Amino acid sequence: MTFDRRVKIAPSILSADFADFGREIEAIEAQGADWVHVDVMDGHFVPNLTFGPQMCRAIRPHVRTVMDVHLMIAPVDPYIDAFAEAGADVISAHLEAGPHIHRTLQAIRGAGCKAGLAINPGTGLDGVEYLLDMIDLVCVMTVNPGFGGQKFIESQVAKVKALRAMIGDRPIHIEIDGGMTPETAPLMAAAGADVFVAGSAVFRGGSVAKPEVYGENIRAIRAAAEAAL
């Protein structure tokens, strides 16, 4: 997984057909997805319950790109090794999920994965600055975590601009998660983001039987983001 700042589209399988994840992943990758985003929720840190390490292990053979695992769970540390062993390439933990995020990021890198730091819409950048040399990605939530299909929170554009300036020339991805569409992705691309998580905006209208719709949706988001650069 080499670093670059080109636009990357990371469909969230939270919006895929749960009964057919393997073929869904193969379809989105064939249609141009750069990463595969896996939203892990525990029903405690966020008000929803989704996937665990066993599901990640089951889909790993179908993922030929990057398996990007977003842990919306608390505590995080006891589960890092399990997700790493399941094949995660990137593991993101929330700044808000526990008191010792520095230790969590060390553990993620120690497990052989790229370390991501996720921040909620109501969280500022004060706690991010002293962690920049420990992370490979910042995931900025542009909806409140827990459910797909929510409305984009526009106040996060200014946050991403400030984050991009703070990162400077460090090789750190800025990932946007929530409400990404061809209308909102350009705002974040212009602000400095390079990874765009999209669930319903990618999967809406398509299926394993009609994968070309996924391709149309992915290309629309990519083209809109690239046009803003």
Side-chain angles (χ1 to χ4, degrees):
M1 184 179 158
T2 56
F3 179 83
D4 66 69
R5 294 198 191 280
R6 289 178 296 177
V7 168
K8 287 166 282 294
I9 309 300
S12 167
I13 61 168
L14 190 62
S15 296
D17 179 355
F18 278 33
D20 206 1
F21 273 147
R23 291 199 303 162
E24 288 275 52
I25 288 165
E26 290 165 8
I28 57 172
E29 289 190 333
Q31 292 295 325
D34 300 286
W35 293 11
V36 175
H37 189 81
V38 184
D39 288 306
V40 176
M41 307 180 190
D42 63 358
H44 164 68
F45 179 66
V46 294
N48 199 0
L49 190 62
T50 59
F51 319 122
Q54 286 180 308
M55 202 281 294
C56 289
R57 180 177 288 107
I59 67 171
R60 179 69 248 196
H62 301 276
V63 179
R64 298 183 181 276
T65 56
V66 171
M67 188 156 84
D68 175 31
V69 177
H70 178 190
L71 298 183
M72 288 168 269
I73 67 175
V76 178
D77 294 10
Y79 301 98
I80 290 169
D81 285 345
F83 282 101
E85 288 163 9
D89 295 299
V90 183
I91 296 178
S92 294
H94 270 260
L95 178 65
E96 307 88 357
H100 305 297
I101 187 64
H102 191 283
R103 180 183 296 155
T104 299
L105 295 168
Q106 281 181 317
I108 292 170
R109 281 191 164 177
C113 297
K114 299 289 187 184
L117 177 68
I119 52 176
N120 286 334
T123 299
L125 297 177
D126 291 350
V128 177
E129 185 174 3
Y130 298 104
L131 300 170
L132 289 176
D133 292 323
M134 303 186 61
I135 59 178
D136 304 287
L137 176 147
V138 181
C139 176
V140 178
M141 296 299 300
T142 45
V143 300
N144 287 297
F147 296 97
Q150 297 183 73
K151 190 168 183 255
F152 174 76
I153 299 173
E154 298 221 9
S155 63
Q156 304 308 294
V157 176
K159 182 193 288 186
V160 170
K161 284 181 182 173
L163 175 63
R164 184 68 195 86
M166 185 185 288
I167 285 171
D169 60 0
R170 294 175 179 89
I172 297 173
H173 296 290
I174 298 178
E175 178 176 71
I176 308 301
D177 188 353
M180 284 295 94
T181 68
E183 291 69 48
T184 57
L187 304 175
M188 287 308 195
D194 63 290
V195 183
F196 301 85
V197 176
S200 52
V202 166
F203 286 95
R204 185 182 292 116
S207 66
V208 166
K210 288 199 303 181
E212 64 278 2
V213 178
Y214 298 160
E216 292 165 8
N217 294 339
I218 289 168
R219 288 190 293 275
I221 298 168
R222 189 190 307 280
E226 288 176 345
L229 299 177

